[in-house]
Amino acid sequence: MAPLLLQAIADVVPGLPVFNVAPLQRMFDDAVVTERTLALLSGFFGILALLLATIGLYGLLAYSVEKRRNEIGVRLALGARPEDVLAMVVRETAVLIVAGLMLGLPATVVAGRWVAAFLYGLTPADPTALALTVALLGTVGVLSAWMPARKAAQTDPMTALRHH
């Protein structure tokens, strides 16, 4: 289509310089390449941050449960069921997760004002985005607590008591 357009322009106004004939979509794509690259990198680093936070949270909780192995062994030796131990560790972690989310949500809304120009189609306090983020971080936190708690609940009480 471009050669026909150029010929039609040359027929109407001979000698008129035409420098760029391209589909509008390609011109638009070329104009927003920086923003797309920034969005792609931001998404990548966001996922990487979530992965590192998950690994760190798991490591911290695993260490915390390991330090309490003797206490858990005593609880199991005195008749606590493994499900009770599992629930105790997950419940204690859930309290920390809820506290972190309650502190993080207002901070997110305040910090969102600084990056509002980069949020295409979203507001800094978009309820859907915030709800999905809370659900994702809450799920990651509970799963990070559940894995070491499950291991602790399977601890042999005599082994844990001898380990002291």
Side-chain angles (χ1 to χ4, degrees):
M1 188 82 180
L4 293 174
L5 182 63
L6 290 172
Q7 183 60 42
I9 293 172
D11 290 345
V12 174
V13 185
L16 180 68
V18 179
F19 297 106
N20 189 9
V21 176
L24 185 59
Q25 185 64 44
R26 188 171 76 200
M27 293 175 76
F28 177 76
D29 290 345
D30 291 345
V32 295
V33 71
T34 303
E35 287 81 5
R36 283 189 178 165
T37 303
L38 181 63
L40 184 66
L41 285 173
S42 297
F44 171 75
F45 286 121
I47 291 170
L48 183 63
L50 179 63
L51 179 65
L52 290 174
T54 302
I55 292 169
L57 183 60
Y58 174 78
L60 177 69
L61 292 172
Y63 176 74
S64 173
V65 169
E66 183 63 32
K67 292 288 281 183
R68 296 176 63 186
R69 181 169 275 221
N70 291 338
E71 172 201 342
I72 291 170
V74 169
R75 287 177 185 270
L76 290 170
L78 292 175
R81 295 178 306 163
E83 302 85 38
D84 296 336
V85 172
L86 181 72
M88 176 190 69
V89 174
V90 171
R91 187 175 43 251
E92 290 171 359
T93 304
V95 169
L96 294 174
I97 291 169
V98 168
L101 290 173
M102 290 300 136
L103 291 173
L105 278 174
T108 300
V109 172
V110 170
R113 294 180 186 158
W114 295 338
V115 296
F118 298 111
L119 300 174
Y120 179 74
L122 292 175
T123 62
D126 181 53
T128 303
L130 289 176
L132 287 173
T133 303
V134 166
L136 178 66
L137 291 175
T139 301
V140 165
V142 170
L143 286 176
S144 294
W146 180 75
M147 290 168 28
R150 186 182 61 153
K151 181 180 175 187
Q154 295 171 351
T155 301
D156 177 35
M158 292 310 296
T159 306
L161 293 173
R162 280 190 209 120
H163 189 264
H164 183 54

